[in-house]
């Protein structure tokens, strides 16, 4: 197992489906109340949807790259009753936004984090929002940090969820996750010899190993639930792997570490205890590097901690959004 497989897991949940085959969910969501398509650079449109009518606005930036917003649907259950308006948004190339043409796929200038930062600002203007909270998850957390750094006059607060902005740390954590999953598989008689042969550099059934690895990884580190909720099943189905591969080389093209000292707005760094890109110790250390930040570790969460540990994730998130700066989050 190499880091490349773990990076694909970070990108999220593998699938054999074509992420751009449109299904009934696509057509239903295009017609829902609160949907607004926003033209970007007079070149293509992206899909957004407003949920709620509260005075506090929160933009949700999905991970991937090139997932959909769907795994955020749980936010409606918790934030809407708290009077918080949320905005879903599928980044260009993701399922509910415009499907890229071949010419667009070949245009390397499109698939850069810096361009997506500009895209978000055009969305803010298109939605006529002065200031909002920006919550980014996984890859979306890096995008949220980059956006906040450039446009923080329009950001009330940043939520940096389940990600490490330091590529060296991230790589080391992925190596540890690799070892941890191999250890779990080695304790299973069905896979013990396969893992032993892999470690020894001997021939082994790579197809069976990969399937077992991904299943164990998903259950123990990504989403610590026996069954994936429907929203995550759809997220898995609707991922655009072709676009993800286009954006991938750009993910760490920006120096996120240099941005952190410049962030003036309140920040919440949050992650699950069993998250694989960032450890609890690194979460607290990262929070201390911001001018004004707090942190929280959900005790039962994996990488998608708002899905598998919502009872702990959302009360802290809501308190940060509504009560900052006086709230004690831990």
């Amino acid at each position: 197992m190499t880091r490349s497989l773990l990076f694909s897991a970070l990108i999220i949940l593998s699938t054999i489906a074509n992420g751009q085959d449109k299904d009934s969910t696509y057509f239903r969501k295009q017609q829902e109340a609160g949907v607004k398509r926003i033209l970007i650079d007079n070149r293509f449109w992206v899909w957004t949807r407003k949920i709620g009518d509260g005075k506090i606005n929160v933009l949700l930036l999905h991970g991937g790259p090139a997932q959909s917003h769907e795994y955020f649907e749980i936010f409606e259950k918790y934030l809407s009753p708290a009077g918080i308006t949320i905005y879903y948004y599928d980044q260009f190339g993701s399922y509910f936004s415009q499907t890229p043409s071949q010419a667009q796929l070949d245009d390397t200038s499109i698939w850069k984090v810096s361009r997506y930062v500009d895209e978000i600002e055009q969305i803010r203007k298109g939605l006529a929002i002065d200031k909002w909270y920006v919550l980014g998850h996984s890859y979306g957390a890096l995008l949220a940090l980059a956006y906040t750094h450039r446009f923080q006059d329009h950001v009330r607060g940043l939520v940096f969820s389940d990600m490490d902005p330091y590529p060296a740390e991230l790589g080391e954590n992925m190596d540890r996750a690799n070892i941890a999953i191999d250890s779990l598989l080695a304790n299973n008689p069905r896979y013990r010899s396969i893992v032993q042969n892999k470690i020894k550099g001997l021939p082994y059934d790579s197809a069976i190993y990969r399937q077992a690895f991904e299943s164990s990884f998903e259950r123990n580190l990504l989403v610590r639930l026996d069954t994936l909720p429907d929203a995550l099943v759809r997220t898995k189905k609707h991922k655009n792997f072709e676009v993800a591969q286009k954006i991938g080389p750009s993910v760490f093209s920006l120096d996120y570490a240099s941005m952190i000292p410049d962030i003036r707005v309140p920040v919440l760094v949050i992650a699950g205890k069993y998250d694989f890109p960032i450890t609890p110790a690194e979460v607290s250390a990262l929070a201390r590097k911001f001018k004004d930040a707090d942190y929280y570790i959900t005790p039962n969460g994996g990488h998608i901690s708002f899905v598998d540990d919502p009872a702990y994730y959302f009360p802290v998130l809501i308190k940060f959004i509504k009560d900052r700066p006086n709230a004690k989050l831990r």
Side-chain angles (χ1 to χ4, degrees):
M1 180 60 57
T2 65
R3 285 184 184 177
S4 62
L5 179 53
L6 281 165
F7 270 106
S8 72
L10 175 63
I11 286 172
I12 200 177
L13 309 167
S14 66
T15 178
I16 61 173
N18 180 347
Q20 294 304 294
D21 290 339
K22 306 306 184 186
D23 58 18
S24 60
T25 303
Y26 173 87
F27 295 105
R28 173 177 58 81
K29 279 183 171 278
Q30 297 295 338
Q31 302 301 319
E32 288 179 329
V35 168
K36 184 174 183 179
R37 293 182 177 184
I38 296 177
L39 186 64
I40 305 298
D41 295 330
N42 292 314
R43 300 173 68 188
F44 41 74
W45 59 266
V46 296
W47 179 96
T48 70
R49 186 184 178 203
K50 177 184 179 182
I51 304 289
D53 56 4
K55 294 182 179 179
I56 301 174
N57 299 302
V58 179
L59 174 69
L60 304 177
L61 295 178
H62 63 70
Q67 290 172 200
S68 73
H69 71 282
E70 292 167 282
Y71 74 132
F72 280 138
E73 288 173 4
I74 192 173
F75 279 70
E76 295 179 40
K77 176 181 177 181
Y78 291 91
L79 268 60
S80 294
I84 298 169
T85 298
I86 60 177
Y87 288 87
Y88 296 141
Y89 150 51
D90 266 30
Q91 299 151 28
F92 178 61
S94 298
Y95 189 69
F96 293 93
S97 290
Q98 181 175 327
T99 301
S101 66
Q102 187 58 54
Q104 289 168 335
L105 286 170
D106 293 339
D107 184 350
T108 57
S109 68
I110 291 177
W111 312 113
K112 296 181 181 298
V113 174
S114 56
R115 192 210 60 78
Y116 277 95
V117 168
D118 290 328
E119 178 173 297
I120 296 167
E121 178 63 2
Q122 291 181 60
I123 289 168
R124 183 192 66 78
K125 293 177 179 177
L127 295 172
I129 294 172
D130 180 29
K131 286 192 175 185
W132 52 7
Y133 284 85
V134 179
L135 182 151
H137 173 258
S138 192
Y139 157 74
L142 300 177
L143 186 55
L145 175 58
Y147 173 79
T148 300
H149 183 254
R150 281 187 57 192
F151 296 105
Q152 60 187 309
D153 287 345
H154 295 290
V155 177
R156 293 191 183 278
L158 165 66
V159 182
F160 191 92
S161 184
D162 300 278
M163 189 53 176
D164 194 321
Y166 300 99
E169 279 186 0
L170 180 60
E172 292 169 359
N173 289 337
M174 288 183 169
D175 287 341
R176 281 193 289 270
N178 180 8
I179 294 169
I181 298 303
D182 273 356
S183 179
L184 286 174
L185 294 178
N187 288 327
N188 186 325
R190 181 179 179 185
Y191 306 113
R192 184 173 298 135
S193 63
I194 292 177
V195 174
Q196 289 174 345
N197 285 348
K198 169 189 168 282
I199 293 173
K200 294 176 182 177
L202 300 175
Y204 65 96
D205 192 320
S206 59
I208 291 178
Y209 171 76
R210 183 183 181 97
Q211 182 179 25
F213 181 95
E214 290 184 351
S215 177
S216 183
F217 181 92
E218 180 180 293
R219 173 60 180 81
N220 290 280
L221 300 180
L222 198 65
V223 187
R224 293 173 60 79
L225 300 173
D226 291 331
T227 303
L228 288 181
D230 176 66
L232 267 173
V233 173
R234 285 183 277 113
T235 300
K236 179 177 181 178
K237 177 182 178 183
H238 293 154
K239 179 176 176 57
N240 190 325
F241 282 88
E242 187 173 25
V243 169
Q245 292 171 349
K246 294 290 185 180
I247 301 172
S250 173
V251 168
F252 278 99
S253 62
L254 301 181
D255 183 0
Y256 302 102
S258 68
M259 301 176 187
I260 291 172
D262 296 332
I263 302 298
R264 303 183 305 272
V265 302
V267 177
L268 172 63
V269 183
I270 188 168
K273 178 180 178 180
Y274 301 96
D275 202 356
F276 69 94
I278 189 166
T279 67
E282 289 164 349
V283 168
S284 62
L286 175 59
R288 289 193 296 270
K289 293 176 181 178
F290 287 96
K291 283 184 169 66
D292 180 15
D294 210 332
Y295 71 93
Y296 187 77
I297 308 295
T298 71
N300 307 305
H303 183 53
I304 311 180
S305 54
F306 48 85
V307 169
D308 55 14
D309 208 4
Y312 289 93
Y313 188 100
F314 285 104
V316 171
L317 175 62
I318 291 169
K319 181 171 284 191
F320 172 76
I321 292 171
K322 297 191 74 172
D323 298 342
R324 255 313 233 171
N326 298 317
K328 292 184 178 180
L329 302 180
R330 296 189 305 280

